[in-house]
Amino acid sequence: AMDEMGAALAHELNQPLTALMLYLQAIQRVSAPHFTSSVPPAAIELLQKALHEAERAGNIIQRMRRFVEKRDPVRRLVDVTALIDDAVELTLLGNRPGTKITRELTSNLPAVLVDPVQIQQIVVNLVRNALDAVKEHPAPDVRIYTKQAEGTVVLRVQDNGPGVPEKAVPYLFKAFSTSKGSGLGLGLVISRTIAQNHGGDLTVEPGGNGKGACFSLHLPVPAPAASTLLAG
């Protein structure tokens, strides 16, 4: 039901956003002959910024539609950094401002053989959980790291919240268990299942005693021969 609602919302929002971009582009074309005379430079700059933001919103909506549409998994070689950036943009859409999200993404990471939509679901879930964990903190902070280690690419999402309660740790990846006040606790279960189906894993350092939780997504790097074959 949530997927269907998300797809419907993305479809409905896409139409007015497209109309908005067309109107802004029309204003730009009509005003072009007068840019150097009657139109103040500040107004030109604001128009260009409005166009940029409308285009960015349209791109987010398109990614949302791909994210929620039902389809069979399709694995391909993916740039992890670009995937993470897209997932963070989706997560921040509609999120309250003020939370600091620091991205320390290692450059030149090898591509991984994954279904990008499924892995994006994991990243969105981890970042959303981290944002939820720090919402009562006076200085909320979420940090996202990537690195390569022992034939895997590792994504770590660290928050400065209270950590996972000790009694909840054994049940963290079991269905219908959650340390939150609401929800069925399925997000982490599904995320770990997706990771393991890709030959990887999802692990946690629960934190506590003044330290926030840190979740790590491990994805295997394909063998060079497989990467070359798939790239060709």
Side-chain angles (χ1 to χ4, degrees):
M2 289 299 294
D3 284 352
E4 291 174 2
M5 183 176 69
L9 181 63
H11 175 73
E12 292 300 324
L13 286 175
N14 189 59
Q15 293 180 344
L17 274 173
T18 301
L20 175 62
M21 286 181 58
L22 291 173
Y23 284 132
L24 289 171
Q25 290 168 355
I27 293 172
Q28 191 177 50
R29 287 194 300 271
V30 170
S31 305
H34 310 288
F35 270 4
T36 56
S37 56
S38 59
V39 181
I44 299 172
E45 184 180 355
L46 287 173
L47 177 59
Q48 291 170 340
K49 286 182 177 180
L51 265 171
H52 172 74
E53 291 302 319
E55 290 172 357
R56 190 168 75 91
N59 289 333
I60 291 173
I61 292 299
Q62 291 302 319
R63 292 200 298 269
M64 182 185 294
R65 292 183 70 175
R66 292 195 297 270
F67 184 77
V68 300
E69 68 183 0
K70 298 182 184 300
R71 57 171 185 72
D72 294 328
V74 178
R75 297 189 186 187
R76 58 184 175 83
L77 288 173
V78 171
D79 175 8
V80 175
T81 300
L83 184 149
I84 292 170
D85 283 336
D86 279 355
V88 172
E89 288 288 336
L90 279 173
T91 311
L92 292 179
L93 189 64
N95 189 66
R96 70 184 181 93
T99 301
K100 179 183 178 184
I101 295 186
T102 303
R103 285 175 250 189
E104 298 179 10
L105 307 181
T106 301
S107 59
N108 300 319
L109 283 173
V112 289
L113 180 60
V114 298
D115 181 299
V117 174
Q118 288 191 340
I119 300 305
Q120 194 176 70
Q121 286 175 331
I122 298 177
V123 179
V124 167
N125 186 50
L126 295 181
V127 177
R128 184 181 292 141
N129 286 349
L131 291 171
D132 187 61
V134 301
K135 64 183 180 182
E136 303 298 334
H137 197 286
D141 187 17
V142 173
R143 306 178 73 84
I144 302 171
Y145 310 81
T146 54
K147 65 176 183 178
Q148 184 178 359
E150 300 178 355
T152 63
V153 169
V154 183
L155 162 70
R156 294 166 62 86
V157 179
Q158 170 84 56
D159 64 68
N160 66 340
V164 179
E166 186 176 351
K167 63 180 181 181
V169 174
Y171 308 100
L172 202 57
F173 296 102
K174 294 184 179 180
F176 307 112
S177 61
T178 177
S179 60
K180 299 179 183 180
S182 60
L184 296 177
L186 288 173
L188 290 174
V189 180
I190 295 171
S191 293
R192 172 175 268 186
T193 299
I194 291 172
Q196 292 177 342
N197 285 343
H198 281 79
D201 204 357
L202 179 62
T203 60
V204 62
E205 298 167 28
N209 298 318
K211 184 178 180 181
C214 181
F215 286 84
S216 298
L217 171 63
H218 307 259
L219 295 171
V221 176
S227 297
T228 303
L229 181 64
L230 287 162

